[in-house]
């Protein structure tokens, strides 16, 4: 038997439980991984509460989780490029990584490089590929200015760093508590809230060329008021605004591959990308982990350790 997160109905965090389940077995082309760390993400909370039922309905009893890093425990038939004992980073589309063991497609795994912590590796996929896709969607260039909302969150904290690697000037919208962290990464911090339009214009006297929205709550409209061309605005959360204003809505699905995950992990290993980890919770405290996440004031990632 092995422990895994389960829920039987839509609801708040109280529907989550840790349950003993049969240890899964890999099928052809699959690998069983003993999970060392698994990130949690806002989308999982939306799915659990039924807010995305039309887009991604749950089948009960449901597990949850996409991100993970761990040690290969067993190989399915036909897997030759991976060995038992390998340390890997990966992802699943089966909502099952919040568990002691997860079965993943071998094609969705990449080696964990030296110097990448379990916590960073286990929380890299969803936030990392989302940030990667969002930055790629607005294609910032050297000499341009890009604004990122929610700049200290799980996705935003990675997006500002990836945008900086393009050579662009980056403005990060965040609370005062995160301004020093942003400055240390050569990102210009700007406080959100009343008057933010004026503060952005003051920080970007030559104008804003691209905008990445990781938070919602009207930032697409703000980008348009700043004069940003719709084709260079990307929101990962405000799908209604994306449809209304014909801006981009590219997120994790646009970059979900082991190749992108490998590229991101390599940047982390080289010290060119930091995955901020706000807090690590044991699997038994999954409810507390999501309560903290849903406050939407976390710098970086929250991670589960089975």
């Amino acid at each position: 038997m092995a422990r895994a997160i389960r829920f039987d109905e839509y609801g708040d965090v109280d529907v989550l439980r840790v349950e003993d389940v049969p240890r899964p077995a890999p099928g052809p082309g699959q690998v069983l991984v003993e999970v060392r760390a698994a990130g949690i993400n806002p989308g999982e909370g939306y799915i659990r509460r039924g807010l995305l039922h039309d887009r991604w309905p749950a089948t009960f009893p449901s597990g949850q989780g996409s991100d993970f890093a761990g040690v290969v425990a067993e190989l399915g038939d036909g897997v030759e490029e991976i060995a038992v004992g390998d340390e890997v980073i990966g992802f699943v589309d089966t909502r099952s990584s919040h568990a002691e063991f997860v079965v993943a497609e071998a094609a969705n795994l990449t080696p964990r490089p030296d110097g990448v912590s379990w916590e960073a590796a286990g929380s890299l996929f969803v936030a990392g590929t989302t940030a990667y896709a969002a930055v790629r969607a607005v294609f910032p260039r050297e000499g341009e200015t890009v604004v990122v909302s929610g700049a200290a969150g799980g996705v935003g904290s990675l997006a500002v760093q990836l945008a900086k690697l393009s050579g662009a000037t980056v403005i990060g919208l965040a609370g005062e508590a995160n301004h020093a962290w942003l400055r240390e990464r050569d990102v210009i911090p700007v406080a959100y809230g009343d008057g933010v339009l004026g503060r952005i214009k003051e920080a970007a006297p030559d104008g804003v060329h691209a905008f990445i929205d990781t938070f919602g709550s009207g930032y697409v409209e703000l980008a348009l008021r700043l004069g940003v061309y719709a084709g260079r605005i990307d929101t990962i959360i405000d799908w209604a605004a994306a449809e209304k204003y014909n801006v981009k809505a590219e997120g994790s699905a646009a970059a979900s591959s082991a190749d992108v995950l490998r590229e991101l992990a390599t940047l982390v290993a080289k010290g060119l990308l930091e995955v901020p980890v706000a807090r690590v919770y044991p699997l038994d405290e999954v409810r507390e982990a999501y309560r903290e996440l849903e406050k939407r004031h976390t710098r970086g990632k929250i991670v589960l350790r089975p």
Side-chain angles (χ1 to χ4, degrees):
M1 302 294 285
R3 298 190 309 153
I5 301 301
R6 293 286 187 271
F7 62 101
D8 289 325
E9 60 182 342
Y10 290 133
D12 63 17
V13 295
D14 292 333
V15 303
L16 295 174
R17 68 182 188 279
V18 181
E19 183 175 291
D20 288 327
V21 300
R23 172 170 152 159
Q30 296 180 328
V31 173
L32 179 68
V33 177
E34 184 178 1
V35 178
R36 295 291 177 86
I40 70 172
N41 299 283
E44 293 148 3
Y46 301 149
I47 289 172
R48 186 199 69 236
R49 297 186 341 244
L51 301 179
L52 299 178
H53 179 80
D54 291 342
R55 187 184 288 252
W56 294 301
T59 301
F60 301 115
S62 178
Q64 66 175 13
S66 300
D67 300 0
F68 69 89
V71 179
V72 174
E74 187 179 341
L75 304 178
D77 291 342
V79 177
E80 299 178 351
E81 68 278 15
I82 298 171
V84 171
D86 284 354
E87 297 181 354
V88 295
I89 309 173
F91 63 95
V92 290
D93 299 318
T94 52
R95 302 178 190 169
S96 57
S97 70
H98 295 168
E100 291 180 331
F101 289 90
V102 62
V103 169
E105 299 296 326
N108 292 346
L109 301 177
T110 190
R112 181 177 76 104
D114 292 339
V116 179
S117 71
W118 284 116
E119 291 83 3
S123 58
L124 183 59
F125 171 69
V126 171
T129 56
T130 302
Y132 184 100
V135 172
R136 184 175 61 185
V138 304
F139 50 95
R141 294 181 285 262
E142 187 172 357
E144 294 188 330
T145 297
V146 57
V147 176
V148 179
S149 68
V155 175
S157 61
L158 301 180
V160 294
Q161 296 178 73
L162 293 173
K164 282 297 300 180
L165 291 176
S166 74
T169 297
V170 180
I171 294 173
L173 305 184
E176 182 68 34
N178 291 308
H179 284 194
W181 184 88
L182 291 168
R183 288 192 191 96
E184 290 168 0
R185 283 140 192 88
D186 199 23
V187 175
I188 300 170
V190 169
Y192 58 80
D194 292 343
V196 65
L197 179 66
R199 290 191 292 274
I200 293 173
K201 288 183 175 180
E202 183 177 354
D206 296 326
V208 174
H209 303 90
F211 199 109
I212 297 170
D213 170 34
T214 75
F215 196 83
S217 301
Y219 280 117
V220 169
E221 289 85 352
L222 176 66
L224 293 168
R225 289 170 62 197
L226 286 165
V228 182
Y229 169 60
R232 300 195 69 188
I233 300 170
D234 188 78
T235 179
I236 67 166
I237 190 169
D238 196 344
W239 299 301
E243 184 175 356
K244 180 177 180 179
Y245 298 108
N246 197 30
V247 305
K248 294 180 177 179
E250 295 186 16
S252 179
S256 293
S257 73
D259 288 339
V260 171
L261 187 56
R262 184 178 304 110
E263 183 177 344
L264 292 167
T266 299
L267 290 174
V268 176
K270 290 181 176 179
L272 298 174
L273 179 67
E274 175 193 353
V275 182
V277 176
R279 189 166 175 183
V280 180
Y281 286 87
L283 199 65
D284 288 333
E285 296 180 14
V286 63
R287 295 179 181 179
E288 289 75 11
Y290 275 97
R291 286 191 183 101
E292 181 171 344
L293 179 70
E294 290 170 5
K295 294 176 183 177
R296 303 191 78 185
H297 289 296
T298 302
R299 180 191 302 163
K301 296 295 299 178
I302 296 174
V303 184
L304 296 176
R305 287 293 300 260

